[in-house]
Amino acid sequence: MRRRQLLLSLTALALCTRGATARAAAEETSAPIVALTFDDGPHPEHTLRLLDILERENVRATFFVIGSCAQRCPEVVQQAFKAGHEIGNHSWSHPVLTRLSAAAVADELAKTDALLVDINGDLPNTIRPPYGAMNDAVRGVGLPRPMMLWNVDTNDWRSRDTASVQREAMSRSGGIVLMHDIYSTTVAAVPEIIREYKARGFRFVTISNYIEWQANDSIDQV
Ligand code: ZN
């Protein structure tokens, strides 16, 4: 009898745990998402400081690195990658890709790819064209990988003002937030941005997670 009771309580506990896990998973997938993206690094100091903040907050982000900068401090890129952040290709020398020949665009991307594979053993999943400048020709060179822009522009490069970066980052309801990890004013804005998005119930994703989520979301809508 005692054994049966124990069995029943264990079964109830298992069902209960399973229910809680399913509920947590459902809540997790239905939470709104935000992808923090940082361009133009790595920076030998500011990026490291940002990595500490992200680690402390248990948030994964995406770094669209410039190849020529990554070459100067590959250890920072490697640290970001090992911490679970996504590394994207932001060209080798940050030109306006739409003004280049297809061969030159291919070269900008390929050199950065080769370096990042060398550093991380991993090919970037996504590309972000400098200045967001792209057309069909540029997109064609990047295929099959997507070129990822943003829908929340913090204009941090223009303001260089922490309060303004925080305000702009929260001005839309999630999505893909553009920032630059080469400015101390931007890095200083990140803890509050994370706190605020967490308080609003957002889940932080990398850019590849964001693409998957969009794909699943559109399937759901069909
Ligand atoms: Zn850039």
Side-chain angles (χ1 to χ4, degrees):
M1 183 68 183
R2 205 179 290 161
R3 200 174 151 187
R4 187 159 170 267
Q5 270 175 347
L6 179 67
L7 202 65
L8 280 173
S9 11
L10 280 177
T11 312
L13 182 69
L15 283 173
C16 199
T17 316
R18 205 186 305 158
T21 312
R23 250 193 328 276
E27 273 164 22
E28 177 148 302
T29 47
S30 64
I33 59 172
V34 60
L36 301 182
T37 66
F38 298 93
D39 289 13
D40 294 4
H43 186 282
E45 292 160 32
H46 304 324
T47 306
L48 286 177
R49 203 150 54 85
L50 175 59
L51 288 174
D52 281 347
I53 293 167
L54 296 172
E55 192 62 43
R56 201 165 57 233
E57 297 291 340
N58 194 26
V59 163
R60 301 291 164 267
T62 304
F63 292 85
F64 283 101
V65 302
I66 298 174
S68 56
C69 297
Q71 192 178 39
R72 285 197 290 274
C73 43
E75 68 287 352
V76 179
V77 178
Q78 194 178 49
Q79 187 178 326
F81 181 75
K82 281 186 173 166
H85 302 294
E86 180 166 344
I87 311 297
N89 185 330
H90 196 42
S91 82
W92 182 263
S93 61
H94 210 267
V96 177
L97 295 179
T98 50
R99 293 187 192 147
L100 302 185
S101 67
V105 172
D107 190 52
E108 282 280 332
L109 299 179
K111 270 174 79 175
T112 304
D113 280 339
L115 178 71
L116 292 176
V117 167
D118 198 37
I119 296 172
N120 297 328
D122 194 65
L123 184 72
N125 284 333
T126 53
I127 298 161
R128 175 170 281 166
Y131 314 102
M134 62 175 176
N135 53 23
D136 286 346
V138 169
R139 248 190 304 269
V141 174
L143 285 174
R145 291 179 294 172
M147 299 231 166
M148 297 302 295
L149 300 186
W150 54 86
N151 66 335
V152 184
D153 190 349
T154 60
N155 276 305
D156 58 344
W157 58 275
R158 191 183 287 145
S159 72
R160 309 282 182 94
D161 177 76
T162 297
S164 168
V165 176
Q166 286 163 349
R167 210 168 38 245
E168 295 298 330
M170 305 308 303
S171 62
R172 302 276 292 272
S173 203
I176 302 174
V177 182
L178 169 65
M179 290 181 272
H180 297 81
D181 52 321
I182 52 172
Y183 304 120
S184 60
T185 41
T186 297
V187 174
V190 172
E192 183 58 30
I193 292 169
I194 291 176
R195 256 193 300 278
E196 187 66 29
Y197 269 115
K198 280 182 176 173
R200 295 187 190 182
F202 277 80
R203 192 160 58 89
F204 293 88
V205 294
T206 65
I207 205 82
S208 288
N209 298 148
Y210 187 90
I211 295 168
E212 279 168 34
W213 175 85
Q214 268 193 324
N216 290 336
D217 201 42
S218 47
I219 289 166
D220 285 349
Q221 283 166 12
V222 170

